[in-house]
Amino acid sequence: MAAQGSRLAIHAALAGNGAVAATKFAAAWWTGSAAMLSEAIHSVVDTGNQLLLLHGLRRAARPATPAHPFGHGLELYFWTFVVAILIFGLGAGVSIVEGVQKILYPHPIDNVAVNYVVLGLSLLFEGATWSVALRAFQRETRRSGGLLTAVQSSKDPAVFTVVLEDSAAVAGLLVALVCLIAAQQLDLPVLDGVASVLIGALLAGTAAFLARESKGLLTGEAVLPAVQASLRHLAAETAGVSSVNEVLTMHFGPADVLVALSLDFNDTLTAAEVERAVSLLERRIKQTHPEVRRVFVEAQSREAHLRASQ
Protein backbone atom coordinates (compact mmCIF):
# COMPACT_ATOMS: atom_id res chain seq x y z
CA MET A 1 0.00 0.00 0.00
CA ALA A 2 1.07 3.60 -0.27
CA ALA A 3 3.34 4.97 2.43
CA GLN A 4 0.60 7.45 3.36
CA GLY A 5 -1.73 4.61 4.32
CA SER A 6 1.04 2.94 6.31
CA ARG A 7 1.75 6.12 8.25
CA LEU A 8 -1.96 6.68 8.98
CA ALA A 9 -2.25 3.24 10.59
CA ILE A 10 0.98 3.70 12.55
CA HIS A 11 0.11 7.20 13.80
CA ALA A 12 -3.32 5.99 14.93
CA ALA A 13 -1.73 3.12 16.86
CA LEU A 14 0.97 5.40 18.27
CA ALA A 15 -1.55 7.87 19.64
CA GLY A 16 -3.68 5.16 21.21
CA ASN A 17 -0.83 3.16 22.75
CA GLY A 18 0.97 6.17 24.18
CA ALA A 19 -2.10 7.33 26.11
CA VAL A 20 -3.11 3.83 27.20
CA ALA A 21 0.40 2.91 28.43
CA ALA A 22 0.51 5.78 30.92
CA THR A 23 -2.95 4.90 32.24
CA LYS A 24 -2.07 1.20 32.63
CA PHE A 25 1.14 1.96 34.53
CA ALA A 26 -0.77 4.18 36.92
CA ALA A 27 -3.39 1.46 37.46
CA ALA A 28 -0.70 -1.22 37.95
CA TRP A 29 1.05 0.92 40.57
CA TRP A 30 -2.22 1.69 42.35
CA THR A 31 -3.59 -1.88 42.42
CA GLY A 32 -0.45 -4.07 42.34
CA SER A 33 -1.83 -6.18 39.48
CA ALA A 34 0.74 -8.22 37.52
CA ALA A 35 -1.67 -8.56 34.61
CA MET A 36 -2.09 -4.79 34.44
CA LEU A 37 1.68 -4.29 34.62
CA SER A 38 2.12 -6.75 31.74
CA GLU A 39 -0.45 -4.82 29.74
CA ALA A 40 1.35 -1.56 30.49
CA ILE A 41 4.66 -3.04 29.31
CA HIS A 42 2.84 -4.36 26.24
CA SER A 43 1.61 -0.86 25.39
CA VAL A 44 5.06 0.68 25.92
CA VAL A 45 6.65 -1.89 23.60
CA ASP A 46 3.95 -1.25 21.00
CA THR A 47 4.56 2.50 21.23
CA GLY A 48 8.28 2.02 20.71
CA ASN A 49 7.61 -0.34 17.83
CA GLN A 50 5.48 2.22 16.02
CA LEU A 51 8.27 4.78 16.36
CA LEU A 52 10.69 2.25 14.85
CA LEU A 53 8.30 1.56 11.96
CA LEU A 54 8.02 5.28 11.23
CA HIS A 55 11.83 5.46 11.32
CA GLY A 56 11.94 2.52 8.90
CA LEU A 57 9.50 4.20 6.52
CA ARG A 58 11.58 7.37 6.54
CA ARG A 59 14.83 5.48 5.91
CA ALA A 60 13.27 3.35 3.17
CA ALA A 61 12.05 6.45 1.30
CA ARG A 62 15.58 7.75 0.70
CA PRO A 63 16.61 7.87 -2.98
CA ALA A 64 19.06 5.48 -4.58
CA THR A 65 22.77 6.19 -4.28
CA PRO A 66 25.88 4.71 -5.95
CA ALA A 67 26.39 2.60 -2.83
CA HIS A 68 22.71 1.49 -2.85
CA PRO A 69 21.68 1.58 -6.53
CA PHE A 70 18.35 -0.13 -5.86
CA GLY A 71 17.36 2.29 -3.12
CA HIS A 72 16.86 1.68 0.59
CA GLY A 73 13.46 -0.04 0.58
CA LEU A 74 14.79 -3.13 2.35
CA GLU A 75 15.42 -1.02 5.48
CA LEU A 76 11.69 -1.18 6.21
CA TYR A 77 11.93 -4.97 6.39
CA PHE A 78 14.98 -4.73 8.66
CA TRP A 79 13.24 -2.47 11.16
CA THR A 80 10.19 -4.75 11.11
CA PHE A 81 12.48 -7.60 12.14
CA VAL A 82 13.85 -5.43 14.96
CA VAL A 83 10.27 -4.81 16.10
CA ALA A 84 9.68 -8.57 16.28
CA ILE A 85 12.77 -8.99 18.47
CA LEU A 86 11.61 -6.22 20.80
CA ILE A 87 8.14 -7.73 21.14
CA PHE A 88 9.70 -11.07 22.08
CA GLY A 89 12.49 -9.81 24.32
CA LEU A 90 10.81 -6.96 26.16
CA GLY A 91 7.09 -7.58 25.86
CA ALA A 92 6.95 -11.37 26.18
CA GLY A 93 10.00 -11.79 28.40
CA VAL A 94 9.09 -9.24 31.04
CA SER A 95 5.41 -10.31 31.10
CA ILE A 96 6.28 -13.97 31.65
CA VAL A 97 8.84 -13.21 34.36
CA GLU A 98 6.41 -10.90 36.16
CA GLY A 99 3.65 -13.51 35.88
CA VAL A 100 5.82 -16.31 37.28
CA GLN A 101 6.75 -14.11 40.24
CA LYS A 102 3.06 -13.44 40.95
CA ILE A 103 2.24 -17.16 40.67
CA LEU A 104 5.00 -18.06 43.12
CA TYR A 105 4.15 -15.23 45.53
CA PRO A 106 0.47 -14.32 45.00
CA HIS A 107 -1.10 -11.42 46.81
CA PRO A 108 -4.59 -9.88 46.62
CA ILE A 109 -5.26 -7.09 44.13
CA ASP A 110 -6.22 -3.74 45.63
CA ASN A 111 -8.89 -1.47 44.14
CA VAL A 112 -9.94 -3.94 41.45
CA ALA A 113 -12.51 -1.47 40.12
CA VAL A 114 -9.66 0.74 38.88
CA ASN A 115 -8.37 -2.12 36.74
CA TYR A 116 -11.82 -2.73 35.29
CA VAL A 117 -12.19 0.91 34.29
CA VAL A 118 -8.72 1.04 32.73
CA LEU A 119 -9.20 -2.26 30.87
CA GLY A 120 -12.57 -1.11 29.57
CA LEU A 121 -11.18 2.18 28.30
CA SER A 122 -8.14 0.40 26.85
CA LEU A 123 -10.38 -1.99 24.94
CA LEU A 124 -12.22 1.01 23.52
CA PHE A 125 -9.04 2.78 22.40
CA GLU A 126 -7.23 -0.35 21.18
CA GLY A 127 -10.33 -1.45 19.31
CA ALA A 128 -10.46 1.92 17.53
CA THR A 129 -6.80 1.79 16.46
CA TRP A 130 -7.18 -1.86 15.43
CA SER A 131 -10.14 -0.86 13.24
CA VAL A 132 -8.07 1.86 11.51
CA ALA A 133 -5.17 -0.53 10.88
CA LEU A 134 -7.46 -3.29 9.64
CA ARG A 135 -9.20 -1.00 7.14
CA ALA A 136 -5.83 0.20 5.84
CA PHE A 137 -4.66 -3.39 5.55
CA GLN A 138 -7.80 -4.45 3.69
CA ARG A 139 -7.34 -1.58 1.22
CA GLU A 140 -3.79 -2.79 0.61
CA THR A 141 -4.58 -6.47 0.10
CA ARG A 142 -7.93 -6.32 -1.73
CA ARG A 143 -7.86 -10.10 -1.71
CA SER A 144 -10.25 -12.74 -0.48
CA GLY A 145 -9.29 -15.11 2.31
CA GLY A 146 -8.74 -14.83 6.01
CA LEU A 147 -6.59 -12.36 7.91
CA LEU A 148 -3.75 -14.87 8.35
CA THR A 149 -3.60 -15.58 4.60
CA ALA A 150 -3.65 -11.87 3.81
CA VAL A 151 -0.79 -11.17 6.23
CA GLN A 152 1.31 -13.97 4.74
CA SER A 153 0.82 -12.63 1.22
CA SER A 154 1.25 -8.94 2.12
CA LYS A 155 4.45 -7.12 1.23
CA ASP A 156 3.81 -4.08 3.48
CA PRO A 157 5.11 -4.95 6.97
CA ALA A 158 4.34 -1.47 8.31
CA VAL A 159 0.62 -2.17 8.16
CA PHE A 160 0.45 -5.89 8.92
CA THR A 161 2.75 -5.35 11.93
CA VAL A 162 0.29 -2.82 13.37
CA VAL A 163 -2.61 -5.18 12.65
CA LEU A 164 -0.84 -8.04 14.45
CA GLU A 165 0.18 -5.82 17.38
CA ASP A 166 -3.31 -4.40 17.81
CA SER A 167 -4.89 -7.85 17.49
CA ALA A 168 -2.54 -9.13 20.21
CA ALA A 169 -3.33 -6.04 22.31
CA VAL A 170 -7.09 -6.60 22.15
CA ALA A 171 -6.65 -10.32 22.90
CA GLY A 172 -4.33 -9.52 25.81
CA LEU A 173 -6.82 -7.07 27.30
CA LEU A 174 -9.56 -9.70 27.13
CA VAL A 175 -7.28 -12.24 28.83
CA ALA A 176 -6.44 -9.75 31.58
CA LEU A 177 -10.10 -8.83 32.10
CA VAL A 178 -11.31 -12.44 32.29
CA CYS A 179 -8.51 -13.50 34.67
CA LEU A 180 -9.01 -10.49 36.95
CA ILE A 181 -12.73 -11.19 37.19
CA ALA A 182 -12.01 -14.87 37.94
CA ALA A 183 -9.35 -13.95 40.51
CA GLN A 184 -11.81 -11.71 42.33
CA GLN A 185 -14.82 -14.02 42.13
CA LEU A 186 -12.90 -17.18 43.08
CA ASP A 187 -10.57 -15.43 45.52
CA LEU A 188 -7.56 -16.81 43.64
CA PRO A 189 -4.98 -14.01 43.25
CA VAL A 190 -2.69 -16.50 41.51
CA LEU A 191 -4.86 -16.06 38.40
CA ASP A 192 -3.48 -12.53 38.09
CA GLY A 193 -0.05 -14.08 37.50
CA VAL A 194 -1.53 -16.63 35.12
CA ALA A 195 -2.95 -13.76 33.07
CA SER A 196 0.49 -12.16 32.86
CA VAL A 197 2.06 -15.44 31.64
CA LEU A 198 -0.71 -15.89 29.06
CA ILE A 199 -0.19 -12.33 27.78
CA GLY A 200 3.54 -13.04 27.52
CA ALA A 201 2.89 -16.24 25.57
CA LEU A 202 0.55 -14.32 23.25
CA LEU A 203 3.25 -11.73 22.61
CA ALA A 204 5.87 -14.44 22.02
CA GLY A 205 3.65 -16.10 19.41
CA THR A 206 3.00 -12.75 17.71
CA ALA A 207 6.73 -11.98 17.67
CA ALA A 208 7.63 -15.38 16.21
CA PHE A 209 5.07 -15.04 13.41
CA LEU A 210 6.16 -11.47 12.65
CA ALA A 211 9.85 -12.46 12.62
CA ARG A 212 9.11 -15.27 10.19
CA GLU A 213 7.22 -13.01 7.78
CA SER A 214 9.74 -10.15 7.92
CA LYS A 215 12.67 -12.57 7.47
CA GLY A 216 11.18 -13.78 4.20
CA LEU A 217 10.90 -10.21 2.92
CA LEU A 218 14.33 -9.20 4.21
CA THR A 219 16.09 -12.09 2.49
CA GLY A 220 14.52 -11.37 -0.91
CA GLU A 221 10.93 -12.43 -1.60
CA ALA A 222 9.39 -12.77 -5.04
CA VAL A 223 6.06 -11.31 -6.13
CA LEU A 224 2.90 -13.36 -5.72
CA PRO A 225 2.41 -16.30 -8.14
CA ALA A 226 -0.46 -14.51 -9.89
CA VAL A 227 1.79 -11.53 -10.63
CA GLN A 228 4.56 -13.82 -11.86
CA ALA A 229 2.10 -15.51 -14.21
CA SER A 230 0.98 -12.11 -15.50
CA LEU A 231 4.58 -11.05 -16.17
CA ARG A 232 5.26 -14.27 -18.06
CA HIS A 233 2.10 -13.76 -20.11
CA LEU A 234 3.00 -10.17 -20.98
CA ALA A 235 6.45 -11.29 -22.11
CA ALA A 236 5.18 -14.26 -24.12
CA GLU A 237 2.66 -12.21 -26.10
CA THR A 238 5.19 -9.50 -27.02
CA ALA A 239 5.81 -9.45 -30.77
CA GLY A 240 9.17 -10.99 -31.63
CA VAL A 241 9.50 -13.15 -28.49
CA SER A 242 9.62 -16.84 -29.35
CA SER A 243 9.85 -18.15 -25.75
CA VAL A 244 10.21 -17.00 -22.16
CA ASN A 245 13.20 -18.64 -20.54
CA GLU A 246 12.95 -17.25 -17.01
CA VAL A 247 11.10 -14.68 -14.91
CA LEU A 248 12.87 -13.52 -11.74
CA THR A 249 11.38 -10.97 -9.34
CA MET A 250 12.25 -9.45 -5.97
CA HIS A 251 10.55 -7.01 -3.61
CA PHE A 252 12.75 -4.12 -2.47
CA GLY A 253 9.73 -2.56 -0.76
CA PRO A 254 5.93 -2.86 -0.71
CA ALA A 255 5.71 -0.92 -4.00
CA ASP A 256 9.23 -1.43 -5.34
CA VAL A 257 9.74 -4.57 -7.44
CA LEU A 258 12.63 -5.58 -9.65
CA VAL A 259 11.90 -7.83 -12.63
CA ALA A 260 14.60 -9.71 -14.59
CA LEU A 261 13.54 -11.57 -17.76
CA SER A 262 15.45 -14.00 -19.94
CA LEU A 263 13.80 -14.04 -23.38
CA ASP A 264 14.46 -15.88 -26.62
CA PHE A 265 13.79 -13.50 -29.54
CA ASN A 266 13.13 -14.53 -33.12
CA ASP A 267 16.41 -14.89 -34.97
CA THR A 268 15.05 -12.82 -37.87
CA LEU A 269 14.75 -9.66 -35.75
CA THR A 270 17.27 -6.88 -36.14
CA ALA A 271 18.92 -5.27 -33.12
CA ALA A 272 16.69 -2.23 -33.50
CA GLU A 273 13.56 -4.41 -33.52
CA VAL A 274 14.70 -6.20 -30.37
CA GLU A 275 15.21 -2.84 -28.67
CA ARG A 276 11.71 -1.72 -29.65
CA ALA A 277 10.23 -4.99 -28.36
CA VAL A 278 12.04 -4.60 -25.04
CA SER A 279 10.87 -0.98 -24.67
CA LEU A 280 7.29 -1.98 -25.45
CA LEU A 281 7.40 -4.86 -22.97
CA GLU A 282 8.83 -2.68 -20.20
CA ARG A 283 6.15 -0.05 -20.77
CA ARG A 284 3.35 -2.65 -20.68
CA ILE A 285 4.71 -4.29 -17.52
CA LYS A 286 4.88 -0.97 -15.63
CA GLN A 287 1.40 0.02 -16.80
CA THR A 288 -0.07 -3.32 -15.69
CA HIS A 289 1.92 -3.54 -12.46
CA PRO A 290 2.77 -0.04 -11.13
CA GLU A 291 4.78 -1.54 -8.27
CA VAL A 292 7.43 -2.66 -10.79
CA ARG A 293 10.18 -0.01 -10.77
CA ARG A 294 12.94 -1.74 -12.77
CA VAL A 295 12.85 -4.22 -15.66
CA PHE A 296 15.97 -5.94 -16.97
CA VAL A 297 15.76 -8.08 -20.12
CA GLU A 298 18.37 -10.59 -21.23
CA ALA A 299 18.22 -11.74 -24.86
CA GLN A 300 19.28 -15.39 -24.84
CA SER A 301 18.42 -18.43 -26.91
CA ARG A 302 16.52 -21.24 -25.23
CA GLU A 303 19.42 -23.64 -25.71
CA ALA A 304 21.98 -21.20 -24.27
CA HIS A 305 19.76 -20.57 -21.26
CA LEU A 306 19.39 -24.29 -20.56
CA ARG A 307 23.15 -24.81 -20.82
CA ALA A 308 23.84 -21.88 -18.48
CA SER A 309 21.36 -23.11 -15.87
CA GLN A 310 22.88 -26.61 -15.66
Side-chain angles (χ1 to χ4, degrees):
M1 93 180 271
Q4 183 179 359
S6 301
R7 286 190 173 87
L8 174 63
I10 296 172
H11 279 115
L14 182 62
N17 284 320
V20 169
T23 306
K24 287 178 180 176
F25 268 118
W29 174 80
W30 185 264
T31 64
S33 169
M36 184 59 69
L37 180 60
S38 295
E39 275 300 310
I41 294 169
H42 183 178
S43 294
V44 169
V45 172
D46 283 353
T47 302
N49 290 342
Q50 274 109 46
L51 290 173
L52 286 176
L53 288 175
L54 288 172
H55 176 68
L57 283 171
R58 184 180 61 82
R59 299 276 299 179
R62 292 179 299 161
T65 65
H68 295 86
F70 294 106
H72 298 80
L74 290 175
E75 282 219 34
L76 177 58
Y77 300 149
F78 167 77
W79 288 107
T80 304
F81 192 77
V82 172
V83 164
I85 295 173
L86 288 176
I87 293 175
F88 183 83
L90 292 180
V94 175
S95 295
I96 292 174
V97 169
E98 179 67 22
V100 170
Q101 288 291 325
K102 187 64 180 288
I103 292 173
L104 294 176
Y105 308 102
H107 58 80
I109 302 173
D110 300 323
N111 301 303
V112 180
V114 175
N115 282 334
Y116 292 153
V117 171
V118 171
L119 288 174
L121 292 174
S122 298
L123 275 171
L124 180 64
F125 294 137
E126 294 283 9
T129 59
W130 178 81
S131 177
V132 172
L134 186 61
R135 285 198 299 270
F137 182 68
Q138 289 172 335
R139 286 195 299 271
E140 181 235 340
T141 56
R142 298 184 185 279
R143 288 186 290 272
S144 59
L147 178 61
L148 183 61
T149 301
V151 168
Q152 290 175 323
S153 61
S154 174
K155 309 300 180 182
D156 190 348
V159 173
F160 73 65
T161 297
V162 176
V163 171
L164 288 174
E165 285 183 346
D166 286 349
S167 298
V170 172
L173 287 168
L174 292 174
V175 168
L177 183 60
V178 169
C179 287
L180 285 176
I181 292 174
Q184 183 185 24
Q185 296 298 319
L186 301 176
D187 194 23
L188 290 175
V190 71
L191 292 179
D192 184 39
V194 171
S196 184
V197 172
L198 290 176
I199 292 169
L202 177 66
L203 290 174
T206 302
F209 181 80
L210 181 58
R212 177 179 176 274
E213 294 303 312
S214 57
K215 178 185 73 68
L217 292 167
L218 185 59
T219 54
E221 195 166 293
V223 298
L224 295 172
V227 178
Q228 289 192 26
S230 174
L231 294 170
R232 182 174 290 274
H233 175 72
L234 289 171
E237 68 176 6
T238 300
V241 174
S242 60
S243 67
V244 179
N245 299 324
E246 193 171 27
V247 177
L248 299 176
T249 62
M250 178 177 169
H251 267 277
F252 282 86
D256 186 357
V257 174
L258 178 146
V259 175
L261 303 170
S262 174
L263 305 178
D264 185 359
F265 291 90
N266 294 334
D267 295 336
T268 58
L269 294 181
T270 65
E273 289 172 331
V274 171
E275 289 175 355
R276 284 195 293 271
V278 169
S279 297
L280 174 63
L281 175 58
E282 181 177 1
R283 188 162 57 250
R284 292 184 63 197
I285 286 175
K286 291 183 176 180
Q287 288 174 347
T288 307
H289 302 285
E291 69 273 19
V292 174
R293 299 285 184 86
R294 302 168 187 83
V295 179
F296 296 98
V297 178
E298 177 187 47
Q300 188 179 39
S301 68
R302 184 69 175 173
E303 294 75 16
H305 173 74
L306 292 175
R307 285 196 304 269
S309 60
Q310 289 177 351

